[in-house]
Amino acid sequence: MAYWLFKSEPSTWSWEMQKKKGDAGEQWDGVRNYQARNNMREMKIGDRGFFYHSVKETSVVGIVEVCALAHPDTTTDDPRWECVDIRAVEEMPRPVTLAEIKANPMLSEMVLVNNSRLSVQPVRPDEWAEICRMGGLKKIP
């Protein structure tokens, strides 16, 4: 299993909206960055990801699971753009802020710290475990 981080502005697509989609999930559409698209092309069913609220909140608020492999993004006719579908798995008991992530030496190499603009990014297993711990999860999903 691989781990990822999906960034969204809550005014555009929030954690609450994601949860309402239930087990069917929703496509992670609108990504127009080649690196982010390529990250989605690498994803497998069952991979986990952090749901990250960007802009004002800047925090990890939940955990999602990839439920459909990369496919054409239905929000464009341009065949270059693909997306995966994700579904909500678990809410973070306590959101983990970007400031907390940046202050943690164990997370100093994290893509979020060093390339905060990338909307879909990989997360290493040790980073995943540390953020889950920081967020108050008893069991690492």
Side-chain angles (χ1 to χ4, degrees):
M1 176 186 324
Y3 300 106
W4 308 93
L5 184 139
F6 297 85
K7 291 175 66 175
S8 181
E9 294 182 27
S11 61
T12 303
W13 188 255
S14 70
W15 173 244
E16 291 303 316
M17 296 165 131
Q18 184 68 50
K19 290 192 305 186
K20 287 180 182 175
K21 288 296 180 174
D23 285 342
E26 181 70 10
Q27 69 175 6
W28 196 256
D29 57 36
V31 174
R32 301 297 182 263
N33 173 285
Y34 287 108
Q35 188 175 1
R37 181 212 54 197
N38 292 344
N39 286 336
M40 288 191 286
R41 284 179 172 176
E42 291 182 30
M43 293 178 185
K44 307 280 188 254
I45 300 291
D47 280 1
R48 295 291 170 99
F50 288 128
F51 193 101
Y52 180 86
H53 277 170
S54 61
V55 184
K56 291 182 181 177
E57 292 180 35
T58 62
S59 57
V60 173
V61 295
I63 293 176
V64 295
E65 178 179 65
V66 175
C67 59
L69 297 175
H71 58 82
D73 183 331
T74 62
T75 64
T76 182
D77 292 329
D78 188 333
R80 293 176 297 172
W81 304 115
E82 298 176 4
C83 62
V84 295
D85 292 9
I86 60 171
R87 66 174 155 235
V89 172
E90 187 170 356
E91 191 160 332
M92 294 298 277
R94 188 185 73 73
V96 181
T97 68
L98 179 59
E100 292 171 314
I101 291 168
K102 286 183 173 182
N104 186 327
M106 292 178 64
L107 302 173
S108 64
E109 299 299 315
M110 191 170 182
V111 175
L112 183 64
V113 172
N114 297 298
N115 186 2
S116 62
R117 295 190 51 91
L118 187 60
S119 63
V120 179
Q121 51 190 257
V123 175
R124 293 190 330 239
D126 59 317
E127 296 165 341
W128 179 265
E130 180 62 9
I131 290 176
C132 288
R133 184 198 65 74
M134 292 169 70
L137 290 173
K138 301 292 185 214
K139 182 181 170 214
I140 306 300

